[in-house]
Amino acid sequence: MVFGCRLYRMLNRIILACILLLPFQFSLAESTISIAGSSTVLPVMSDAAQTYKNDNPSTNITVSGGGSGTGINAVINGIVDIGMTSRQPTEAEWVKLSEKFELIDIARDAVAIAVSKAVIKSGVSSLSLEQIADIYRGKIKNWKDVGGFDEEILVIDKEPSRGTRHVFAEVVLGDAKARAPGASLISGSNNEERSIITRSNQAIGMLSHAWLNDDVRGITLKLDNGDTVSASPEHVLDGSYPIQRSLSLIVAKNRSEALQSFIAFLQSPALVPSIEKNGYLPLN
Amino acid sequence: MLLRSWITFSVIFSLALVLIFVGFLVSASLPFFLDYGLSPIVSSEWYPYEDLYGFLPALVGSAWAIVIALAIALPCGLAAAIVSVEILPQRYHGLINLCIDILAGIPSVVYGLLGIALLLPWLKNNLDLLSGHSLLAAGLLLAVMILPTITRLSQDALRDVDNSYREAASSLGLDWSQRLFSVLLPQAWPGIRSASLLATGRGLGETIAVMLVVGSIDRIPEPWYNLLAPAQTITSRIGREMGEASVGSSQWSALMACGLVLTLCVMLLSILAHAPRKRLARG
């Protein structure tokens, strides 16, 4: 009984000590780099972080999503060290970024017009930019109007600050911030968008090219000159596919040694495997 | 002595927390109300990029979702409470309570996942919807989520009815339904009412599960009773946009204002839920 009592007291003390020492445990970790933002850039960065950690075990790197808008804001507010973005910052965001931050491009990517597999099977092989714009403006509501089956179109829009949304809206709707009154749903990350399209037979959405798969297919674009182009790496490289963008990082110019060394790694050819593995185009 | 000062401290601390939270929300949303006045509350366009912040679609969405949830959860929860307290013998009570507590303990994100995996496809196939994302889906999920609150608190309310009432009712020769509707439910009514009010508050504040199934589109259903349309609730809007709003921007204070409106609604419900109990105690 006495022993039990003592054990109990000891346990209590250990727990108390752990709680009191909690802040120090964090400071003991040698250096931590936090990254957040675009869900398009995320897989590249988590790959890179893994590779980097193998050679630099003393650096802890955490990577989380949230979208380009979130990434830009988080880095401005000092919540993370590196913000990932798949679009250029807006003017208002540039004002806040001011001279203290820099934008580092790491790769290029195409935004594909993604549709459910059944849509392709029903005979819709390509769409012009005007047709896509009409779908998002609510003027075309049925797949039969663009050569497909007689099914209503499930139009998926994205949260307004998402990088993919900006690039898509800029090219297709003419303004990065344009409204899309034809939309029937709003989605967030690439993952969420892809899973909604997978579950539907009649969906259209916007998705980074690297996230397409057998169920979620990119539709080829019919250009004004009559050519059709798919969102493939070659067409991004030669510039013929219009909906493309840079994937970038935003980081403070004034940075710690650990952060600087990681950034140097990201700008070196060592990043290329991570980029290619995830289906994006390295800059060179 | 130590215990007493600890308790005093805890009470003051909790009170201070409430005041600090509400104070913060008010101060953070004040710039918004100063710039835009109260008109956004009845305006229906929410386009942060165009500096349009209409609360109406989200308010209507939240209201519909909770109405659907209550319409289902209230009768079911009440029935469950009646069955478990009045009909089933004592030895089953533990099992029933365990089930209800498990239901209450399932994290809301798991409800959201179940909603995506089971509810949305089911709605889509059976009601011929585009994707299943709808006010109805949100309402159905919320119904399951507030069911334990309603059942548990209604059980308490029924148990609090003094046994002498039951005996008196039996000795008057009332049959079971008369006993229930003329004696037990009226006696337990204050408790049941506060159960529904608290459940409403919980449902209004539920975020992640609703966000995953409601569609998150800022549009008032058309026609207004079209529950199969995707929509937005106050919580789903805050959940979707808070991360991307930069601190101090008008979008940020507009979201804070949404938070304030929601908090005030839930606080009002909590106060209402406590009011009848006080009156009972006095009488």
Side-chain angles (χ1 to χ4, degrees):
Chain A
M1 191 57 213
V2 173
F3 177 72
C5 229
R6 221 183 257 169
L7 190 71
Y8 179 73
R9 233 184 274 158
M10 206 167 77
L11 259 180
N12 259 343
R13 275 190 204 151
I14 292 172
I15 293 172
L16 189 68
C18 288
I19 294 173
L20 290 178
L21 290 176
L22 208 61
F24 297 99
Q25 287 159 6
F26 281 115
S27 59
L28 280 179
E30 309 208 346
S31 49
T32 304
I33 297 173
S34 52
I35 309 171
S38 163
S39 70
T40 308
V41 192
L42 188 138
V44 178
M45 291 306 278
S46 33
D47 246 41
Q50 208 87 52
T51 318
Y52 184 76
K53 255 203 89 133
N54 288 341
D55 299 331
N56 303 270
S58 65
T59 310
N60 278 326
I61 304 176
T62 60
V63 190
S64 60
S68 300
T70 305
I72 294 170
N73 267 311
V75 79
I76 291 172
N77 295 332
I79 298 167
V80 297
D81 300 310
I82 303 177
M84 303 179 281
T85 176
S86 57
R87 61 168 166 87
Q88 295 296 304
T90 61
E91 272 173 40
E93 284 165 345
W94 269 125
V95 171
K96 292 201 170 128
L97 289 167
S98 66
E99 299 293 303
K100 288 185 215 140
F101 296 89
E102 65 176 314
L103 189 75
I104 301 172
D105 292 344
I106 55 165
R108 281 198 78 75
D109 172 42
V111 174
I113 306 302
V115 295
S116 314
K117 189 177 176 179
V119 172
I120 302 263
K121 291 249 161 102
S122 83
V124 185
S125 54
S126 63
L127 292 172
S128 68
L129 287 176
E130 285 95 294
Q131 282 174 319
I132 299 167
D134 282 349
I135 290 174
Y136 274 86
R137 293 197 177 109
K139 289 179 192 153
I140 296 178
K141 294 181 173 211
N142 195 306
W143 282 115
K144 72 171 188 246
D145 297 334
V146 288
F149 49 12
D150 182 13
E151 292 281 357
E152 203 182 329
I153 305 178
L154 170 60
V155 186
I156 308 171
D157 195 7
K158 282 200 147 209
E159 293 167 5
S161 78
R162 294 273 175 176
T164 309
R165 210 295 174 170
H166 271 231
V167 178
F168 169 88
E170 187 156 25
V171 178
V172 176
L173 301 172
D175 174 10
K177 301 169 176 179
R179 299 183 186 186
S184 15
L185 277 188
I186 309 279
S187 82
S189 65
N190 282 313
N191 258 328
E192 186 183 8
E193 175 117 11
R194 184 169 68 179
S195 63
I196 296 175
I197 300 176
T198 308
R199 285 196 307 268
S200 171
N201 283 330
Q202 53 219 72
I204 184 168
M206 53 196 96
L207 202 57
S208 161
H209 162 259
W211 295 69
L212 297 173
N213 60 21
D214 183 55
D215 288 329
V216 178
R217 304 208 176 162
I219 209 155
T220 49
L221 285 185
K222 211 182 296 163
L223 299 180
D224 290 340
N225 60 16
D227 290 352
T228 57
V229 284
S230 64
S232 66
E234 308 86 73
H235 293 136
V236 174
L237 265 188
D238 66 22
S240 58
Y241 188 79
I243 321 174
Q244 55 168 284
R245 44 135 171 228
S246 290
L247 305 181
S248 329
L249 306 174
I250 295 176
V251 62
K253 283 180 182 162
N254 180 12
R255 47 203 182 222
S256 69
E257 214 169 290
L259 186 55
Q260 176 53 41
S261 135
F262 182 56
I263 295 289
F265 167 81
L266 293 177
Q267 289 178 301
S268 74
L271 186 65
V272 171
S274 305
I275 294 173
E276 285 178 339
K277 187 181 138 198
N278 287 294
Y280 304 121
L281 275 174
L283 286 182
N284 301 311
Chain B
M1 188 57 212
L2 193 67
L3 186 70
R4 200 160 156 199
S5 49
W6 172 246
I7 291 173
T8 317
F9 170 76
S10 309
V11 170
I12 293 174
F13 186 69
S14 323
L15 268 177
L17 270 186
V18 173
L19 290 178
I20 289 171
F21 278 146
V22 176
F24 172 75
L25 275 178
V26 170
S27 71
S29 50
L30 201 61
F32 175 75
F33 286 120
L34 287 180
D35 282 358
Y36 294 84
L38 290 174
S39 59
I41 293 183
V42 289
S43 136
S44 62
E45 297 203 305
W46 178 277
Y47 293 99
Y49 279 143
E50 300 171 27
D51 278 332
L52 291 172
Y53 301 101
F55 287 14
L56 201 56
L59 289 174
V60 172
S62 278
W64 264 128
I66 198 66
V67 165
I68 300 170
L70 281 175
I72 297 165
L74 200 54
C76 291
L78 200 51
I82 293 168
V83 168
S84 64
V85 174
E86 299 297 327
I87 298 175
L88 284 178
Q90 188 80 41
R91 66 196 141 103
Y92 293 115
H93 288 189
L95 183 68
I96 290 173
N97 289 345
L98 180 70
C99 293
I100 296 169
D101 288 346
I102 290 175
L103 205 58
I106 295 175
S108 67
V109 67
V110 175
Y111 279 116
L113 296 180
L114 292 177
I116 286 186
L118 305 174
L119 187 60
L120 293 186
W122 186 81
L123 285 175
K124 179 181 152 213
N125 295 332
N126 287 289
L127 298 174
D128 196 26
L129 298 182
L130 265 176
S131 68
H133 291 79
S134 57
L135 280 171
L136 183 63
L140 289 174
L141 266 196
L142 277 182
V144 183
M145 299 180 73
I146 63 174
L147 188 64
T149 311
I150 293 184
T151 313
R152 271 302 216 160
L153 293 175
S154 305
Q155 280 179 336
D156 290 346
L158 281 172
R159 281 204 198 97
D160 284 348
V161 176
D162 201 87
N163 255 338
S164 59
Y165 285 100
R166 293 189 179 82
E167 283 156 15
S170 314
S171 58
L172 282 173
L174 298 182
D175 66 16
W176 190 80
S177 66
Q178 284 171 318
R179 200 167 71 178
L180 183 69
F181 287 108
S182 357
V183 180
L184 289 176
L185 287 184
Q187 280 299 316
W189 176 241
I192 294 169
R193 188 166 60 164
S194 57
S196 347
L197 289 170
L198 287 175
T200 310
R202 158 134 171 66
L204 277 178
E206 183 46 54
T207 306
I208 185 75
V210 171
M211 203 170 109
L212 289 171
V213 300
V214 80
S216 299
I217 199 150
D218 278 295
R219 214 174 279 161
I220 298 175
E222 260 181 60
W224 60 273
Y225 50 82
N226 181 9
L227 303 182
L228 303 178
Q232 178 90 292
T233 65
I234 304 179
T235 50
S236 69
R237 162 167 318 129
I238 298 175
R240 287 252 181 227
E241 290 186 16
M242 202 64 228
E244 68 196 34
S246 49
V247 177
S249 66
S250 54
Q251 187 187 8
W252 190 77
S253 53
L255 288 171
M256 285 294 176
C258 285
L260 181 68
V261 169
L262 186 66
T263 310
L264 290 180
C265 290
V266 176
M267 275 172 78
L268 185 70
L269 288 168
S270 298
I271 292 169
L272 284 178
H274 282 283
R277 279 188 186 161
K278 255 190 245 156
R279 224 171 291 139
L280 261 192
R282 236 180 279 138

